[in-house]
Amino acid sequence: MKLIRFGEAGKEKPGIQLNNEKRIDVSDFGEDYTEQFFENDGLSRLKTWLEKEQAHCTEISPETRLGPPTLRPSKLVCIGLNYAKHAEETGADLPKEPILFFKATSAIVGPNDDIIIPKNSTKTDWEVELGVVIGKKTSYVEEEDAMDYVAGYVLHNDYSERAFQLERSGQWVKGKSCDTFAPLGPFMATKEEIKDPHNLNLWLKVNGETLQNSNTSDFVFNIPQVVSYISQFMTLLPGDIISTGTPFGVGLGFKPPRYLKPGDVVELGIDGLGTSKQTAKAYSEGEKTA
């Protein structure tokens, strides 16, 4: 299944994207895609419900806004420097253990919402990433069992303000958590939709120019390794998202570096997980972000 949420920001309803690209409203199922939904076997229950009720579901207009495909998770955990060529372009050594950091969940927006360049930002950057959605609560899980706790996958753009991240002292979270810095979607694909998450092409364009073009086969640490590793330090809850890192081609890696300016258009995609598109806008006082 491909889970979507649609409608006005903050008032989204649950839906499904069918394999023919048609989108349907499943509000009558009676649940949004929350931690409780995943915890209580919601995916299986929704699949069973659809077998009986799909024909009665209302079609959603293609012009309708898409929100993030799951309702705000308890946490969004990210892996740094998890592609070998990306570590090389930044001049960093390959990490001996996964590098962990958080993005505030208040950064999460829909896949095609605007990216707001933060107040006082000079170095807002892009990062196409594969997000892994956790399906069941777990801690201290072994690598050989880790995939049993994965519900599905989602496209994520891990926007980063490099001056906030690298020049303002402390941890990376300051450069990662600005409003609109975590567009997710267009949909969450359940695990059976993605044959091999370790062999997915992913790409990103800025103003039509391809800047990132790689494959998840370049992971330093694979999905079972990062799920197991993170679970040694914290409990992973249903609906939590692990963002698995970005490949080479970020703005920071160019010589000289390249960063977003108002009016720039960022497009990105991953095999089997659709595409998204964000337009960069300057921060303005009092503007309400999505």
Side-chain angles (χ1 to χ4, degrees):
M1 290 187 296
K2 297 182 177 75
L3 277 58
I4 64 169
R5 298 175 65 251
F6 66 96
E8 182 183 345
K11 298 180 181 178
E12 294 94 344
K13 298 178 181 179
I16 292 289
Q17 179 168 308
L18 305 176
N19 290 332
N20 61 3
E21 304 301 316
K22 177 180 175 181
R23 295 167 178 162
I24 59 173
D25 183 341
V26 297
S27 300
D28 287 345
F29 177 65
E31 298 177 45
D32 205 342
Y33 304 140
T34 63
E35 176 183 333
Q36 291 71 31
F37 168 83
F38 290 104
E39 183 177 37
N40 294 304
D41 200 26
L43 290 173
S44 295
R45 291 186 292 105
L46 177 57
K47 185 176 181 180
T48 300
W49 183 87
L50 281 168
E51 290 172 358
K52 298 179 180 178
E53 301 295 337
Q54 180 173 318
H56 305 294
C57 294
T58 303
E59 185 171 357
I60 302 164
S61 167
E63 287 75 40
T64 302
R65 172 189 174 270
L66 292 177
T70 62
L71 188 58
R72 187 177 295 172
S74 83
K75 49 189 172 290
L76 176 48
V77 190
C78 301
I79 311 296
L81 300 176
N82 198 34
Y83 284 75
K85 292 179 182 177
H86 174 51
E88 180 181 339
E89 75 171 342
T90 62
D93 294 331
L94 288 182
K96 295 180 175 60
E97 297 185 30
I99 296 171
L100 305 185
F101 62 91
F102 287 97
K103 290 180 83 85
T105 57
S106 55
I108 294 173
V109 290
N112 304 309
D113 290 341
D114 293 333
I115 162 69
I116 306 300
I117 297 174
K119 185 178 182 179
N120 301 319
S121 167
T122 58
K123 299 179 180 180
T124 293
D125 204 348
W126 53 84
E127 298 189 21
V128 59
E129 304 203 2
L130 172 67
V132 177
V133 182
I134 297 299
K136 296 186 291 185
K137 181 178 179 179
T138 185
S139 58
Y140 302 110
V141 66
E142 298 296 332
E143 285 182 27
E144 56 266 31
D145 300 321
M147 294 302 289
D148 293 340
Y149 293 86
V150 172
Y153 306 96
V154 66
L155 173 64
H156 173 218
N157 195 342
D158 174 23
Y159 282 108
S160 309
E161 213 298 335
R162 301 302 188 187
F164 297 177
Q165 177 188 357
L166 303 172
E167 301 169 22
R168 298 289 297 274
S169 299
Q171 298 179 338
W172 290 358
V173 66
K174 288 185 289 188
K176 297 287 187 173
S177 294
C178 304
D179 289 349
T180 75
F181 267 29
L184 295 175
F187 52 78
M188 187 205 101
T190 51
K191 190 163 56 175
E192 71 275 4
E193 295 275 346
I194 303 298
K195 183 177 179 181
D196 182 3
H198 299 103
N199 185 25
L200 298 176
N201 292 317
L202 67 171
W203 56 269
L204 181 142
K205 299 178 182 181
V206 178
N207 299 327
E209 179 185 2
T210 299
L211 299 181
Q212 292 188 276
N213 188 11
S214 187
N215 190 284
T216 56
S217 60
D218 193 41
F219 278 157
V220 178
F221 302 102
N222 66 28
I223 293 168
Q225 288 172 322
V226 299
V227 171
S228 174
Y229 184 84
I230 294 169
S231 79
Q232 308 306 308
F233 302 98
M234 66 195 79
T235 296
L236 289 168
L237 297 176
D240 282 355
I241 296 172
I242 299 171
S243 201
T244 55
T246 199
F248 68 95
V250 300
L252 177 66
F254 285 92
K255 300 186 188 312
R258 300 169 60 173
Y259 298 114
L260 293 174
K261 58 186 184 300
D264 286 344
V265 177
V266 182
E267 300 171 87
L268 58 151
I270 299 179
D271 286 351
L273 293 175
T275 64
S276 68
K277 179 178 179 180
Q278 299 95 43
T279 300
K281 290 192 173 181
Y283 172 86
S284 62
E285 295 288 348
E287 180 174 354
K288 182 179 179 181
T289 56

